Amino acid sequence: MWSFFARDPVKDFAYEVLPDTQEKSGIWTLHRGKRKTNGEPVSVFVYEVAQGTELQTQLAKAAFKRMKTLRHPNILAYVDGLETEKSLYLVTEQVTPLAVHLKAQAEKGGSGELEVSWGLHQIVKAVSFLVNDCHLLHNNLGVWSVFVDRAGEWKLGGLDHVAPEQGDPSGISLPAPKAVYPDMEKYDPPEMSNSSGEKWAGEVWRLGCLIWEVFNGPLPRTSSLRSLGKVPKGLVPHYCELVGANPRARPNPARFLQNCRAPGGFLSNSFVESNLFLEEIQIKEPAEKQQFFQDLSDNLDSFPEDFCKHKVLPQLLTAFEFGNAGAVVLTPLFKVGKFLSAEEYQQKIIPVIVKMFSSTDRAMRIRLLQQMEQFIQYLNEAAVNSQIFPHVVHGFTDTNPAIREQTVKSMLLLAPKLNEANLNQELMRHFARLQARDEQGPIRCNTTVCLGKIASYLNAGTRQRVLISAFSRATKDPFPASRSAGVLGFAATHNYYSITEIAARILPTLCAITVDPDKSVRDQAFKAIKSFLSKLETVSEDPTKLADVEKDVGSCAQPAGASSSWAGWAVTGMSSLTSKLIRNAPGTEGLAPAEGTGLASDTSPTIATNEAAAPGTMGRSTAVKKQSSDWSSSGWDADDSWSNEKEGQGQSSDTDMTLTNTSVQLPDGVRLASDYNWDSSSAAKGTGQNDLAETTGDWGAEESWESVDGNQGLSKTELSKKKRDERRKELEAKRAERKAAKGPLKLGARKLD
């Protein structure tokens, strides 16, 4: 009756055995399994008592006990177990038999020597631990007793025959492998009959058999060990020591490991060195960690994919989270990220990236911006707008030009994910300030290029308010590439302008650029003018096409189309140009620009007149703009915003600037004829004010000036002295008039003036 209510212990077991796949492993059957609570994958070794002999059951129980008590990084890790009357369940980390792993790798082209070298290193280290530290003999070493985890690391299992080297004190002796499996006799060393030599002689002999099978496949007979086959040359002398006929000459596992780790040895390579460092990374100095992560990036390309995903990645995340590794982990982190699925990337790397953006470390910020293309597709819009963009915008005002430039470039990737407020308000405000006030010409240029590329993501109102003003401003930039970018911006966003805007605002601006000193700018201007004129002609010939021409003017934000490749030269090429200009600027150190150091001397066009134009360029009037050092004080929008009212209706602001900048310093005592107020006395001379207005346009330059006040024949020094005397007399006369107007002062009164 009580047996009826008894619960099945297997049903209460915390792990579920999956029946779909199973592999035979000695007396055990290897199944895939998972933890019932969270689905964590595991491996489950199952032994059915009813199907085994009494001798096999004894071995299974011995292995069950050893697995619980033996703990080592290179020995198969015990997780849980269950022993019932019918069966034994041994739960370990998720692994695959080495034979299955090698077969799968052979189908992909074979295991690389790097992977095998580290695997053998781990197995030799496990054997050394058993022999030298635990004074135990494995007695069952072979391909069947080695397993591979998800990271590609080899683990020693098959502990069924493990026994103390001096014999079991309890007097219970386990049978030898050949007593259970007769075909195992070929792996026994030749001296087994008299047991001469060191205690580890039999262990290292089986280690030699394992090495032979890893490179050549299953061992057909003992004599085959004499044929090296595919054993690497660097391993041959050490392999021969393992399978030597003299058991006393066979090396201890620890010495074998040391010999193979010598310079030029099979176990001396970057992969083994990296693994050994990762195993001890917690006790390494910060400087050693920094150097390791720098070198790791170059080595990752040759490392196995599974190793990068399951061993390097966790260490990188831990190093950033708790080890203050900083920006140095970014490059290897993104390299490893290429091996992850979208779900794994979102789960493991994105939280770290979001946290990195809040860092104040400049090196980290600029590396994140430079490598944003590798992870932008995994970022969702909510995280970009709330957690990333607020930190990125600080780069627009950074004193480091390289960070400002990379911040501008990053907007090409972030713009499609920005919300209305961040894109159309916050970003435009920063772009306006950069384009008007930044001292670096290439950064102003890239700001213009970026604006043209993201124009399709802006809403219609922002496009109408910003684009024409921004590109018009760029056409007046002292930096030639910026002027060219402004022209290309107009051409790339041509579908967002109405016919009226083209005729009244865009074409006047472009026409002014046709006399630019730089020929490449002029060429781009002529191409753009022809394009816009063709649109005007099309509508003029057939007014019904107006709606089709202006169909995109009021369109909503949408992904970029044909303009996605315009002016790509500027974005991709300006980085090196910016770095070069910043690096060559006088007084600069590193990446930070020195105060007061601009690029005017390097990038601004030379002020030239029409009479002294350089060969191959068109002359410019004396109304050339100031150098970039006067950028923020120029007549352009100085309020960090783009406004249509600034330009005026139907006129380019270049006209106004020309008028205000043509003032000329005149000699003392000489004035323009137009400065005088003409009265009726001029009629007595035969010339009235109207007559003057009609004739001044025909005067030559030498006739537009006149000398007055009867000063002909006086030198410049005499004129200056005479003018000072007259000024002094005027001041004395005015002072006397003020005294007379006030009258006599009373006694005790304070003089207020």
Side-chain angles (χ1 to χ4, degrees):
M1 177 179 177
W2 293 109
S3 61
F4 178 79
F5 294 100
R7 297 181 61 86
D8 185 0
V10 177
K11 292 183 179 179
D12 294 335
F13 195 40
Y15 296 87
E16 178 183 354
V17 178
L18 303 178
D20 54 345
T21 58
Q22 57 185 25
E23 296 285 344
K24 195 68 177 175
S25 178
I27 61 175
W28 300 86
T29 304
L30 176 59
H31 296 263
R32 290 195 308 112
K34 64 179 181 179
R35 186 188 291 269
K36 292 180 179 179
T37 55
N38 58 11
E40 177 189 358
V42 294
S43 290
V44 183
F45 291 83
V46 180
Y47 172 75
E48 299 291 346
V49 176
Q51 298 179 5
T53 64
E54 185 176 348
L55 199 59
Q56 291 175 337
T57 302
Q58 182 184 359
L59 290 173
K61 291 183 177 181
F64 191 90
K65 181 179 179 181
R66 288 292 181 189
M67 286 291 292
K68 283 184 176 182
T69 56
L70 277 178
R71 297 285 182 173
H72 189 268
N74 303 128
I75 293 180
L76 192 59
Y78 171 85
V79 176
D80 201 353
L82 175 66
E83 184 177 356
T84 67
E85 296 180 356
K86 297 181 180 179
S87 55
L88 275 74
Y89 295 86
L90 194 58
V91 182
T92 68
E93 57 187 316
Q94 186 180 18
V95 291
T96 303
L98 178 60
V100 176
H101 175 77
L102 293 176
K103 182 179 180 181
Q105 291 297 101
E107 295 174 355
K108 298 178 182 179
S111 297
E113 284 194 3
L114 290 179
E115 181 181 357
V116 174
S117 67
W118 176 240
L120 291 176
H121 184 283
Q122 292 177 296
I123 297 304
V124 175
K125 203 170 181 181
V127 174
S128 177
F129 167 74
L130 291 176
V131 171
N132 298 313
D133 298 332
C134 302
H135 304 289
L136 296 173
L137 298 178
H138 189 276
N139 294 319
N140 191 31
L141 184 59
V143 173
W144 57 88
S145 62
V146 178
F147 301 88
V148 183
D149 66 6
R150 292 187 302 168
E153 298 199 298
W154 294 11
K155 305 285 185 175
L156 180 61
L159 306 182
D160 306 3
H161 300 272
V162 173
E165 61 181 27
Q166 300 296 338
D168 196 330
S170 61
I172 302 175
S173 59
L174 296 175
K178 64 180 180 181
V180 182
Y181 302 102
D183 59 342
M184 300 288 285
E185 187 174 0
K186 60 187 175 184
Y187 297 102
D188 288 339
E191 73 280 357
M192 282 298 290
S193 57
N194 52 21
S195 299
S196 60
E198 299 291 346
K199 296 293 183 181
W200 62 75
E203 297 296 294
V204 295
W205 171 276
R206 296 186 184 91
L207 178 61
C209 297
L210 169 65
I211 292 174
W212 195 95
E213 290 194 320
V214 165
F215 292 104
N216 298 306
L219 181 66
R221 64 188 68 85
T222 304
S223 59
S224 299
L225 295 173
R226 300 174 185 174
S227 174
L228 297 176
K230 299 179 181 178
V231 177
K233 292 182 179 179
L235 189 57
V236 167
H238 309 297
Y239 161 77
C240 293
E241 289 181 351
L242 298 179
V243 294
N246 183 5
R248 298 182 183 277
R250 295 176 197 155
N252 184 286
R255 187 164 68 86
F256 170 80
L257 196 61
Q258 183 179 358
N259 294 340
C260 292
R261 292 272 295 120
F266 182 70
L267 302 184
S268 178
N269 55 61
S270 60
F271 189 51
V272 174
E273 296 293 340
S274 298
N275 277 282
L276 293 175
F277 190 95
L278 287 173
E279 288 184 349
E280 301 174 352
I281 193 170
Q282 304 302 333
I283 60 175
K284 296 292 185 180
E285 294 295 329
E288 293 178 305
K289 294 181 183 179
Q290 292 281 330
Q291 186 63 44
F292 170 74
F293 287 124
Q294 289 178 2
D295 299 337
L296 179 63
S297 180
D298 298 329
N299 295 328
L300 281 177
D301 295 330
S302 61
F303 289 176
E305 179 179 328
D306 290 336
F307 169 78
C308 294
K309 289 171 56 176
H310 300 293
K311 186 165 185 180
V312 175
L313 179 59
Q315 292 291 352
L316 290 173
L317 298 178
T318 302
F320 172 77
E321 191 76 21
F322 306 107
N324 298 322
V328 73
V329 304
L330 285 178
T331 302
L333 181 65
F334 291 138
K335 274 195 172 183
V336 175
K338 296 178 181 179
F339 300 130
L340 303 179
S341 64
E343 183 180 353
E344 290 174 325
Y345 202 104
Q346 190 74 32
Q347 179 183 1
K348 296 180 179 179
I349 295 184
I350 290 302
V352 177
I353 291 176
V354 171
K355 186 175 180 180
M356 286 179 177
F357 270 105
S358 63
S359 172
T360 56
D361 182 5
R362 276 182 167 176
M364 173 151 327
R365 286 162 55 193
I366 197 167
R367 289 198 184 185
L368 280 171
L369 295 174
Q370 289 171 339
Q371 303 185 54
M372 185 177 290
E373 190 174 1
Q374 300 188 32
F375 58 83
I376 186 64
Q377 67 269 27
Y378 301 107
L379 296 174
N380 57 58
E381 295 184 6
V384 168
N385 286 282
S386 62
Q387 298 175 277
I388 294 179
F389 184 74
H391 297 295
V392 172
V393 292
H394 294 310
F396 289 123
T397 57
D398 199 286
T399 57
N400 188 326
I403 291 182
R404 295 201 303 274
E405 184 195 26
Q406 289 298 333
T407 304
V408 171
K409 289 183 179 182
S410 68
M411 293 302 110
L412 294 174
L413 302 171
L414 289 177
K417 296 178 180 288
L418 294 180
N419 58 28
E420 176 78 13
N422 286 336
L423 178 62
N424 294 280
Q425 298 176 22
E426 184 74 7
L427 181 58
M428 293 300 101
R429 181 173 64 84
H430 286 289
F431 269 20
R433 187 192 59 77
L434 283 176
Q435 195 192 40
R437 297 186 179 183
D438 199 282
E439 62 195 19
Q440 306 292 346
I443 293 179
R444 300 194 301 270
C445 174
N446 269 348
T447 303
T448 303
V449 171
C450 185
L451 177 63
K453 282 179 167 284
I454 68 173
S456 59
Y457 302 113
L458 303 175
N459 60 39
T462 302
R463 288 200 297 262
Q464 293 178 0
R465 175 172 53 87
V466 166
L467 294 185
I468 295 180
S469 297
F471 295 143
S472 297
R473 172 190 287 171
T475 60
K476 306 176 185 70
D477 195 301
F479 190 57
S482 291
R483 300 197 297 274
S484 184
V487 176
L488 289 171
F490 276 127
T493 56
H494 66 91
N495 53 317
Y496 297 128
Y497 308 122
S498 65
I499 295 300
T500 303
E501 289 175 325
I502 293 174
R505 301 183 63 197
I506 297 177
L507 284 176
T509 301
L510 292 176
C511 288
I513 304 299
T514 57
V515 292
D516 192 275
D518 191 280
K519 188 176 187 306
S520 64
V521 177
R522 299 197 302 270
D523 292 343
Q524 295 293 347
F526 284 119
K527 291 179 182 178
I529 289 172
K530 291 177 183 178
S531 175
F532 283 114
L533 283 177
S534 67
K535 294 184 72 171
L536 295 179
E537 291 176 358
T538 300
V539 176
S540 177
E541 294 294 331
D542 187 0
T544 59
K545 294 183 179 180
L546 177 62
D548 184 60
V549 170
E550 296 184 349
K551 64 180 180 179
D552 294 332
V553 173
S555 62
C556 299
Q558 57 186 354
S563 64
S564 61
S565 61
W566 80 278
W569 58 270
V571 170
T572 57
M574 284 299 116
S575 178
S576 58
L577 180 57
T578 305
S579 302
K580 181 179 179 181
L581 292 173
I582 294 170
R583 184 168 58 251
N584 294 337
T588 56
E589 295 181 5
L591 292 174
E595 278 188 48
T597 301
L599 297 175
S601 60
D602 297 322
T603 60
S604 300
T606 305
I607 297 180
T609 61
N610 289 333
E611 293 79 14
T617 63
M618 299 185 65
R620 221 174 188 179
S621 68
T622 56
V624 178
K625 302 171 185 63
K626 296 181 181 180
Q627 301 290 340
S628 61
S629 58
D630 296 331
W631 186 268
S632 61
S633 60
S634 66
W636 308 342
D637 303 355
D639 57 349
D640 296 354
S641 62
W642 290 306
S643 173
N644 294 340
E645 289 76 10
K646 301 287 182 183
E647 300 287 342
Q649 296 298 326
Q651 292 290 336
S652 169
S653 61
D654 200 24
T655 305
D656 297 332
M657 292 191 65
T658 302
L659 294 175
T660 58
N661 289 335
T662 51
S663 59
V664 180
Q665 183 66 37
L666 302 178
D668 292 338
V670 180
R671 290 181 288 174
L672 285 172
S674 59
D675 291 340
Y676 291 94
N677 293 324
W678 296 85
D679 52 16
S680 58
S681 63
S682 64
K685 299 179 181 179
T687 305
Q689 188 173 2
N690 293 336
D691 296 329
L692 176 69
E694 294 173 1
T695 59
T696 52
D698 296 329
W699 291 355
E702 66 276 8
E703 296 174 341
S704 60
W705 313 92
E706 66 176 24
S707 300
V708 293
D709 298 335
N711 293 327
Q712 293 88 342
L714 297 179
S715 66
K716 186 174 181 180
T717 304
E718 292 172 339
L719 285 173
S720 300
K721 183 178 180 180
K722 182 178 180 180
K723 193 170 184 178
R724 286 196 300 271
D725 292 341
E726 290 176 354
R727 179 62 177 164
R728 186 173 62 253
K729 290 178 181 179
E730 287 181 9
L731 292 175
E732 291 175 353
K734 289 181 180 179
R735 191 179 297 113
E737 290 177 2
R738 286 198 299 269
K739 285 184 178 181
K742 292 180 180 180
L745 292 174
K746 295 181 180 180
L747 185 64
R750 176 179 294 180
K751 187 176 181 180
L752 299 177
D753 59 348

